[in-house]
Amino acid sequence: MANNTMKEIAEVLLDAQSVLIFPHINMDGDAVGSSVALCRQLRKLGKDCWILAEDAMPGNLVFIGQGYFTEDHELIKNADVSVCVDCGAFSRFPARKEKFLEGKKTVCIDHHQTTEEFCDYNYVDPMAAATGELIWTLLKEMGAEADAEIGQAIFAAIATDTGNFQYSNTTKNCHLIMAELYDWGVDTNKASVEIYENERLEKLQITVKALNTLEILGDNISKAAVAHITLADMDACGAEPAETDGVIDKLRSIRGVEYAAFLKEKEPGVIRVSMRAKRRGNVAEIASKYDGGGHIKAAGCTLYMSMEEALAVIKKELEAAAAAL
Ligand code: AMP
Ligand code: MN
């Protein structure tokens, strides 16, 4: 994978007048935070810039994203640059593929292990804990100065993708950026309350429902935890799509569990699979077998089959993976 330099990517953006930013579907803190930070800096530089989404933003991230997102494909026509952030394949922004390619130049800024070079300019660093880290470097390259709103977006990106600086992807660089964010005027407590302590009761209810389906597989040494949720469950709880996001972390947190999988029915016959590994193991490898991808310890894929069939497929994979540890 041949990366461009950040300087080259900064120059492409500085030369542009109009820029469209493309986060992945099922936006998370890193996708939203990275997109907002870049969008705000480009607007400050006088550029016409929007983040084009194809689904709703999770409620707990709305506080960083107001005024930057649109689903209107007509707002910018033939953008000088299309940038995809926190994703590196058309399958990660399927309904916006044509729009992305309409850009006169295309750029990818991502940190997924499974991303392959597919744009005119690419910066993919699987060692980065969050795309927000890469955006931070890019902003510096573009001459960005202290800005609390940009800082808050970078904070959200890095804090969420590192599990609040707990996961093994957390590095000194994450903390160095955090240290500087204090100088940028970021209120980390306020942002944390917005992100983590402002949940709807429906989210707790759907989590309870999911945990009631918990199955533990494997032996005493290394176990796998699997849970699932159907469309009927979502309806019954009145939960929004992103409100199942925390379930997978609960599964991984169980003592002895090395692998976790959460299966969610998106439509009849379409099952979204989220997978995690704890200390050892590689879920990106498993996801890749089913046209998905991600990181070694956090990956996902979509299975086109019934929930029963999908559960059988994933349980077999995780049982074998746990036994091999
Ligand atoms: P999730 O379980 O949806 O939180 O996804 C775990 C990680 O894998 C995230 O960083 C996702 O961006 C990434 N990921 C999920 N699905 C895919 C996919 N189909 N292709 C590439 N990366 C993915
Ligand atoms: Mn990310």
Side-chain angles (χ1 to χ4, degrees):
M1 169 102 203
N3 268 340
N4 291 93
T5 62
M6 268 312 184
K7 189 163 187 285
E8 284 169 325
I9 292 179
E11 276 162 10
V12 167
L13 290 168
L14 291 172
D15 280 347
Q17 240 332 292
S18 56
V19 179
L20 265 181
I21 300 172
F22 295 71
H24 58 74
I25 43 171
N26 307 319
M27 289 183 276
D28 59 9
D30 190 25
V32 172
S34 295
S35 299
V36 169
L38 181 58
C39 188
R40 179 163 167 85
Q41 177 62 21
L42 289 171
R43 285 186 183 178
K44 282 175 83 171
L45 293 169
K47 310 197 184 289
D48 187 13
C49 186
W50 283 94
I51 304 163
L52 188 65
E54 64 188 86
D55 50 11
M57 190 164 16
N60 65 336
L61 299 171
V62 169
F63 79 106
I64 50 174
Q66 261 156 2
Y68 297 101
F69 283 80
T70 182
E71 290 191 29
D72 181 357
H73 283 223
E74 301 305 313
L75 224 46
I76 295 183
K77 292 208 176 90
N78 301 101
D80 290 334
V81 183
S82 293
V83 192
C84 61
V85 296
D86 201 31
C87 55
F90 293 124
S91 60
R92 301 291 287 146
F93 49 101
R96 290 165 289 163
K97 174 181 173 182
E98 300 308 323
K99 190 69 194 173
F100 184 79
L101 291 172
E102 205 183 278
K104 294 178 195 123
K105 289 178 182 167
T106 57
V107 174
C108 171
I109 302 172
D110 188 25
H111 71 135
H112 289 95
Q113 186 186 256
T114 44
T115 291
E116 287 168 15
E117 181 183 358
F118 83 115
C119 289
D120 300 330
Y121 296 85
N122 301 277
Y123 198 100
V124 181
D125 179 3
M127 296 308 286
T131 300
E133 261 186 277
L134 306 177
I135 295 290
W136 174 260
T137 310
L138 176 60
L139 297 188
K140 287 295 178 93
E141 203 63 68
M142 291 197 294
E145 287 176 359
D147 178 303
E149 213 181 304
I150 292 177
Q152 175 174 261
I154 296 284
F155 169 75
I158 299 177
T160 54
D161 255 27
T162 57
N164 271 324
F165 308 93
Q166 286 178 61
Y167 299 158
S168 60
N169 58 1
T170 311
T171 60
K172 176 178 172 180
N173 192 48
C174 301
H175 289 285
L176 287 174
I177 295 172
M178 272 308 302
E180 206 170 333
L181 290 181
Y182 284 97
D183 296 335
W184 280 37
V186 179
D187 184 338
T188 56
N189 177 250
K190 181 168 162 277
S192 298
V193 168
E194 290 278 2
I195 297 170
Y196 301 109
E197 296 179 336
N198 192 18
E199 285 171 356
R200 299 194 317 142
L201 185 57
E202 287 83 349
K203 175 166 179 172
L204 200 68
Q205 284 162 339
I206 196 72
T207 305
V208 169
K209 228 182 204 351
L211 293 179
N212 270 326
T213 71
L214 174 64
E215 289 178 82
I216 302 284
L217 318 167
D219 55 32
N220 281 332
I221 298 164
S222 90
K223 298 186 179 63
V226 179
H228 67 275
I229 235 32
T230 62
L231 281 169
D233 295 327
M234 293 296 285
D235 273 353
C237 290
E240 287 168 7
E243 287 180 323
T244 54
D245 278 0
V247 174
I248 187 74
D249 300 313
K250 287 261 170 280
L251 301 181
R252 178 166 59 178
S253 73
I254 302 166
R255 180 183 297 176
V257 163
E258 290 292 339
Y259 283 100
F262 175 59
L263 284 74
K264 182 170 164 184
E265 186 183 31
K266 300 289 282 185
E267 292 166 37
V270 181
I271 311 295
R272 164 90 207 144
V273 183
S274 286
M275 287 181 282
R276 299 290 184 270
K278 190 183 278 174
R279 287 168 295 199
R280 297 161 285 150
N282 182 343
V283 282
E285 226 168 58
I286 301 173
S288 296
K289 280 169 68 175
Y290 301 94
D291 270 340
H295 312 285
I296 291 173
K297 293 189 171 168
C301 59
T302 301
L303 298 179
Y304 298 89
M305 54 186 75
S306 70
M307 179 60 86
E308 288 69 29
E309 288 166 319
L311 279 168
V313 166
I314 295 300
K315 281 159 70 173
K316 193 158 171 247
E317 288 287 353
L318 293 198
E319 236 163 1
L325 282 180

